[in-house]
Amino acid sequence: MSNPRITLVNPNSLARVTEAIDRAVEPFRRLPLEFRCLTSTGGPAGIQTQAEADASIAPMASLIQQEAATTDAFIVACFSDPGLHGLRDLIRVPMLGIGECSVLTAMSMATRIGAIAIASAAVPRHLRYFRAIGVADRICGELALDMKVSELADAELAFQRMAAVGTALRDTHGADVLIMGCAGMADLRDRLQETCRLPVVEPTQAAVAMAAGRVFGRF
Amino acid sequence: MSNPRITLVNPNSLARVTEAIDRAVEPFRRLPLEFRCLTSTGGPAGIQTQAEADASIAPMASLIQQEAATTDAFIVACFSDPGLHGLRDLIRVPMLGIGECSVLTAMSMATRIGAIAIASAAVPRHLRYFRAIGVADRICGELALDMKVSELADAELAFQRMAAVGTALRDTHGADVLIMGCAGMADLRDRLQETCRLPVVEPTQAAVAMAAGRVFGRF
Amino acid sequence: MSNPRITLVNPNSLARVTEAIDRAVEPFRRLPLEFRCLTSTGGPAGIQTQAEADASIAPMASLIQQEAATTDAFIVACFSDPGLHGLRDLIRVPMLGIGECSVLTAMSMATRIGAIAIASAAVPRHLRYFRAIGVADRICGELALDMKVSELADAELAFQRMAAVGTALRDTHGADVLIMGCAGMADLRDRLQETCRLPVVEPTQAAVAMAAGRVFGRF
Amino acid sequence: MSNPRITLVNPNSLARVTEAIDRAVEPFRRLPLEFRCLTSTGGPAGIQTQAEADASIAPMASLIQQEAATTDAFIVACFSDPGLHGLRDLIRVPMLGIGECSVLTAMSMATRIGAIAIASAAVPRHLRYFRAIGVADRICGELALDMKVSELADAELAFQRMAAVGTALRDTHGADVLIMGCAGMADLRDRLQETCRLPVVEPTQAAVAMAAGRVFGRF
Amino acid sequence: MSNPRITLVNPNSLARVTEAIDRAVEPFRRLPLEFRCLTSTGGPAGIQTQAEADASIAPMASLIQQEAATTDAFIVACFSDPGLHGLRDLIRVPMLGIGECSVLTAMSMATRIGAIAIASAAVPRHLRYFRAIGVADRICGELALDMKVSELADAELAFQRMAAVGTALRDTHGADVLIMGCAGMADLRDRLQETCRLPVVEPTQAAVAMAAGRVFGRF
Amino acid sequence: MSNPRITLVNPNSLARVTEAIDRAVEPFRRLPLEFRCLTSTGGPAGIQTQAEADASIAPMASLIQQEAATTDAFIVACFSDPGLHGLRDLIRVPMLGIGECSVLTAMSMATRIGAIAIASAAVPRHLRYFRAIGVADRICGELALDMKVSELADAELAFQRMAAVGTALRDTHGADVLIMGCAGMADLRDRLQETCRLPVVEPTQAAVAMAAGRVFGRF
């Protein structure tokens, strides 16, 4: 019997982001699972606004429906979980979103969650979402890097901003766990954790962990 | 100077629903406004599931962007307010949703709001939305007619179910105001109000009222 | 048939405030409505404390009951909405409060509402009220000008403090829409909006907009 | 040195209710305190609606201000706590409300509080108040006797209704403690407790207990 | 290198329950993990009351500290998660509770969670806990079997009660996912799921899934 | 008939803290009550972490059960109220916790409660507890002295830190009442109140006040 397959879909069209998502899966390759990371090529080139998140749903939904017969669990690999709840109605296998999974995982680690957003524009959207899924009381603050997704290519600059924001969440907002509010930054997780001296949840890894559990536990 | 124009967009492709939306506007035709009701012909044939709501966004967004230069306010005329928050980021003029406006209006009328949904499948979606916009505490209950949108064509049957559900919301859940959780049923409002002996908010009218206020007040 | 009449009642006894309320109505005079602005001459000379708000109810209620037969909608024109919910039990026509309407309107414009209070003493009262009407989660912060109502006569000074407070709400509390927590300051709205680069809701105008909608929509 | 004095004010004009409030104080007469129960003769003849609660504030506030110099703590003896927060701003000594104290006391006894209202009309007002003071999550349900205050003179009839409502709160809403949502029914407490097999908080007694503590503890 | 070890601790002293916990792990034995299920022999013989939950903490904490050096993740295998947050302060490796994990997992599956408790006495304790961890808004209802832990030995009787309670949660409270509020009933999960036609989360399996994810993801 | 007895139990083993608790009772000695302050000698030497709070329960529960037959009310005299809800299930007489009572008392004094913690480590535990008992919305902020319990022996140093923290809660978080988040500091209450110009609730006194009320009111 072949190993179960988990398919991660990057709803934006940037192959570079899909590659980073693929690297995030690395620690789980020891498990008897097959991972496949797909780019939703019809999606927008980056998701910062609510409009971009909404625009990413239709092409991603088509892609997921094509893959549904040969996949045991799906992961929507954008922190805003575009289309997640609708896809759950359509597809029978476990359907997880990296935003939701990162918060749920952080909830099992500490009491006050600090969220690091890429762009300020994302913060009200995240807030609406945290409220929608009933977890807003656990978020003690969310701060944005206020860097463009493109600038994040300068990993050192991104890291320095992220560390500053994470430290502010810890010291000013009382965070005792941090979540990275974006896919594709797993490479920075360990270093951020050391610099901020707080556990850091990388959302793709949180979702892979929960997806693997669902696949083996058959629930 | 010509009158300001309010454009109502039906995100599903059913012209019949657009016509009913047009009739709902009737009481406001006395105002110095021009109303235009459009059908998003690329949208799904009815919006019951979250997936259908999500699928309606892209074609409706295109339509709205085409009309934006010649419109003074937009109304997304589906109770789930698909795409509403994203469209607000894109379009400068007031952008209102009939779901949001119906709840906000009911909040100014009484304390406990009972919501009447068409389909059970809509209830968890509405609940996520009520939470997202921070009004869930005001909703004392939501019950579904459990009729198909197509069956609603039998107006008498629909009305009887709606009256039964409204009465249950009043007597069992303590509702002191009702909202109709669907576009296109304005014809039934007065009768429902009399039968249930509670004020009833028709969502399209609630949205037109708020849009008119925004247009004249220039805010 | 004569035009419907909307009566705005200033619950404090300052005619100067009533005049400012009257000016706030200006943008709506294009509508087929008659507006009447009354001073509750038996009310306190300004409403800052909860005790003053409470003391304003009895004389205002008398005035409103006298006018009820000839009015199609009432607006209680004090941000604390004194007596609003009780008056709704007594009077059949739409009864709106400028505090409630300003929050509900802001809720349809953006996600995080910053409130500008005149006096610090008002902030806990507003907080209790925001909670009572179930909207506290949408208020991201409230800051006070800490100027006396009398000092507000120096419009420039008031404006400078208001702009500073509005900017702090935007930058420190994350507000993406502001509400002015007092009647009679509509003259400053446009300028505040430009200075703070955020939409600003003037509460009297928000209430007039909703009242007009209720009158024409007959709900 | 004379004993400290606690003044209870009945905000309605019914001397009969004041007498029942006086009887509720009985268990505390063993303490080195002087109790005085006053009728606000200018108040309404019974407080069921929000409008009546609001109308009771002005005459009661006058009475309390007259007595303030010779009283060590005040109790507003109506479950809706009319004027309570405003009076706290005006008067230096402890100012307690029987509604607030009954909920706070029940919160220290069990997890889910069931409230027994006299009239249905009171329920939305109580709900707004429970939210205003941030305790709504602890109220698992509120049911009304739906008897007129005058009918409560038939103590046996009132008791039977109250027992039925208390039992429904226990069995259907999960209440593990009950509060009586009205002053003047202390005579029925013990019997209600036995019949419903749940602890019952009588609000006047809850307030006297907290007032006595404040007076002796000097806080 | 040997496989990572996950240790599950049954905080009550019943070996029979530990055996049932061990059976619940079955689906995960395919993973490169070692599972060890321990009985806290100094714990109470069953945990129904808050007092029993509290009494189970001290002996379980000793046991866990003894095992900490040779374990990669711990699971507190009682739905009330006794001692969980304190143990997190003491022990470096992931420390998960089956109650918390079952709710978090259900949150990623559907919107309204129905909880099935063994005893009525547990419901207020669970409610306090759901509030403590900020998830109470997601629980649409909790109903108890009202059977003793000992009676659960009659698996058929237990199942029939559980199915009745699950169906009531679905039909009356609107649950779209169920959680079993007790360890040791994994054998009944599939059948309950089929009978109630809702996904059912077995808490031990939810915790094992999340623990495995944490161990492989190294977070 | 002898006076009713209220027993206060210090769940940590420090006799010095028990002595300070005994001094806190002083203002209530004028009442016809007997007070007894006991040290739980089997408890931990100070309670800062959740683990220490949990470890204190078992020895304290034994002590309380020994004393139950001869006591009319118990007070758990640690701000974290260890074991409180479980003890309520076991013991018939009123069982109060100083943490819960301090918050409930502050709720009857002002709108926004600022909490002063001894150690940062306590803050997430308090937050979980405030949520568990449904009062978190009333806490506008909690700040820690970040001094060891032992350092608190230097009363002047402790006072200066406490005053600084109290002032920050007032000015930055908007507190209008403060609670001291620790037993044994009643000596500092009056001075803190004067320095911060806010009412200050000392938790042991709040609990004694509520316990006395329960004992005389027989509820």
Side-chain angles (χ1 to χ4, degrees), chain D residues 134-149:
Chain D
V135 300
D137 280 354
R138 293 294 294 274
I139 309 292
C140 65
E142 177 164 14
L143 296 176
L145 304 188
D146 278 323
M147 301 169 76
K148 295 186 183 167
V149 169

Side-chain angles (χ1 to χ4, degrees), chain D residues 110-112 137-138 176, chain E residues 120 123-124 127-128 131:
Chain D
T111 299
R112 295 167 296 174
D137 280 354
R138 293 294 294 274
D176 35 37
Chain E
S120 294
V123 176
L127 176 53
R128 289 192 298 268
R131 280 204 288 248

Side-chain angles (χ1 to χ4, degrees), chain B residues 131-174:
Chain B
R131 279 204 289 246
I133 62 171
V135 301
D137 280 354
R138 293 294 294 275
I139 309 292
C140 66
E142 176 163 15
L143 295 176
L145 304 188
D146 278 323
M147 301 169 76
K148 295 186 183 169
V149 170
S150 58
E151 289 177 333
L152 292 166
D154 180 345
E156 185 57 27
L157 185 64
F159 177 75
Q160 294 304 337
R161 272 298 294 155
M162 210 176 288
V165 158
T167 305
L169 286 166
R170 182 194 68 194
D171 293 341
T172 310
H173 295 76

Side-chain angles (χ1 to χ4, degrees), chain A residues 193-206:
Chain A
Q193 200 156 265
E194 279 161 38
T195 308
C196 295
R197 295 193 309 281
L198 284 182
V200 173
V201 177
E202 197 284 322
T204 301
Q205 293 175 344

Side-chain angles (χ1 to χ4, degrees), chain C residues 5 7 34 36 66-72 74:
Chain C
R5 173 185 286 171
T7 299
E34 179 192 340
R36 184 162 46 170
Q66 285 165 33
E67 302 288 326
T70 57
T71 294
D72 298 285
F74 283 100

Side-chain angles (χ1 to χ4, degrees), chain F residues 11-208:
Chain F
N12 76 39
S13 63
L14 298 179
R16 177 170 39 78
V17 171
T18 313
E19 286 157 22
I21 289 167
D22 191 69
R23 286 197 302 279
V25 177
E26 195 54 38
F28 298 93
R29 296 209 188 273
R30 187 178 169 193
L31 294 176
L33 287 169
E34 180 192 339
F35 293 101
R36 184 162 45 171
C37 295
L38 302 178
T39 305
S40 176
T41 50
I47 295 179
Q48 294 203 34
T49 64
Q50 177 78 58
E52 288 163 339
D54 289 346
S56 76
I57 297 176
M60 180 179 58
S62 300
L63 180 57
I64 283 177
Q65 284 178 297
Q66 285 165 32
E67 301 289 325
T70 57
T71 294
D72 297 285
F74 282 100
I75 291 172
V76 175
C78 165
F79 190 78
S80 294
D81 294 346
L84 179 65
H85 295 91
L87 288 162
R88 271 190 196 139
D89 294 342
L90 295 178
I91 307 287
R92 294 281 138 157
V93 300
M95 179 69 60
L96 296 154
I98 69 168
E100 187 173 75
C101 287
S102 70
V103 178
L104 298 175
T105 298
M107 287 170 79
S108 73
M109 296 172 76
T111 299
R112 293 166 297 175
I113 303 169
I116 303 175
I118 304 304
S120 293
V123 176
R125 179 174 78 252
H126 293 170
L127 177 53
R128 289 192 299 268
Y129 187 55
F130 295 147
R131 280 204 288 245
I133 61 171
V135 300
D137 279 355
R138 293 295 293 274
I139 309 293
C140 65
E142 177 163 13
L143 296 176
L145 304 188
D146 278 323
M147 301 169 76
K148 296 184 185 169
V149 170
S150 59
E151 290 178 333
L152 292 167
D154 180 345
E156 186 56 28
L157 185 63
F159 177 76
Q160 293 304 337
R161 274 296 295 153
M162 211 175 290
V165 158
T167 304
L169 286 166
R170 182 193 69 194
D171 293 342
T172 311
H173 295 77
D176 35 37
V177 61
L178 298 175
I179 53 178
M180 302 169 93
C182 189
M185 304 194 297
D187 300 342
L188 302 174
R189 192 185 76 94
D190 286 356
R191 202 176 153 204
L192 185 65
Q193 200 158 264
E194 279 161 40
T195 307
C196 295
R197 295 193 310 281
L198 283 182
V200 173
V201 177
E202 197 283 324
T204 300
Q205 294 176 344
V208 171

Side-chain angles (χ1 to χ4, degrees), chain E residues 90-139:
Chain E
L90 295 177
I91 306 287
R92 294 282 138 157
V93 300
M95 178 69 60
L96 295 154
I98 68 168
E100 188 172 76
C101 287
S102 70
V103 178
L104 298 175
T105 298
M107 288 169 78
S108 73
M109 297 171 76
T111 299
R112 294 167 297 175
I113 303 170
I116 302 174
I118 304 304
S120 294
V123 176
R125 178 173 80 251
H126 294 168
L127 176 53
R128 289 192 298 268
Y129 187 54
F130 295 147
R131 280 204 288 248
I133 62 171
V135 300
D137 279 354
R138 294 294 294 275
I139 309 292

